[in-house]
Amino acid sequence: MSAPGYLSPHQSPGSYSMDPYPVPQGGYGDPNHAPPPVGFQMGYNHQQPHPGQPVMYQPGPIGPGPMPMPEYGAPQMGPRPGYGGPMPGPEYGAPQMGPGYGGPMPGPEYGAPNSVPPAAISPAPAAVVPVGVPPGLEYLTQLDQILIHQKLELLEAFIGFETNNQYEIKNSLGQKIYKAKEKNDCCTRYCCGALRSFDMKIKDNTDREVIRLIRPFRCASCCCPCCLQELEVQAPPGTTIGYVFQDWNPCVPKFSIKGANKETVMKLEGPCFACNCCGDVNFELTGKDGGKPIGRISKQWSGLLKEVFTDTDNFGIQFPLDLDVKMKAVLMGACFLIDFMFFEKD
């Protein structure tokens, strides 16, 4: 049996074994139908087909056909017209040549068409600085103890020539974090002795001044309560963050640690006899209303020879870890004031 719509070998043209495929009504070419999709040819043959012959459409040209692939092993042909040989490649190590020139191929200029802009470099993240911390005192937020060592001056040790005091401020591991130096003149040091006024600069390891201590000249007698010792603490220099005031007491040394507005924040109290005889001297730190100690300033025993023949002193300061960093700096100032008042030899 032959397929419907196709001639049988034993049939003559015009005779069919069965009815041919019907012609679809309203197909492509029907003026009442929507336009055909892209790619189909509308210009089909206008000759009338044979009766009962199906109408077929041929797709139109869409674009150039695929490029024929070269046979395996055939040489690659170059794109230049008129040459049939393979395109010679550059020799190994030879620079890439530009068209018409003998130099290297220049890269596209920035901003030219089809040029890719350079990748933007993101800036380094800014260091996170705690709010309210003076510059240079960020490290103090991580400490609850610091050590202060007075440097030994050979000229002062051998001939007794009084020089400006110098200190090293270290953490509990003995690592230097700050250095302090007294700024004074020779006449003031000799005439006023331990009562002398001074400006002391405290610098970090980059030699940047972060704290300045200012001590005016005051009386040392406990019988004169109107002119007691005091110290101003600035951080950074020019900005006052607190004070240390001596409180009048005929028996024991007492101090008030105050804020920038001279409000009392903490109290500091020493022993009746502030002298170290083969032991440490502790000044206990309490709240503004007294009570249980929350820290201390200790004058540490440095050994018999060092204590007798030099005025080089070692101090330790302990305070709560979460204490305001400004008050930690004020306690450092209190330590220097205590050193000058009780342990500086005239």
Side-chain angles (χ1 to χ4, degrees), residues 94-120:
Q96 185 179 3
M97 310 303 290
Y101 295 93
M105 177 71 73
E109 298 182 358
Y110 178 72
N114 300 329
S115 63
V116 180

Side-chain angles (χ1 to χ4, degrees), residues 255 268 283 297 315 333-343:
F255 300 89
L268 196 62
F283 290 76
I297 297 178
F315 289 87
C335 181
F336 291 115
L337 181 60
I338 290 173
D339 181 32
F340 274 83
M341 289 180 60
F342 303 105
F343 305 106

Side-chain angles (χ1 to χ4, degrees), residues 20-38:
Y21 289 111
V23 178
Q25 299 297 326
Y28 293 124
D30 190 346
N32 298 325
H33 195 272
V38 179

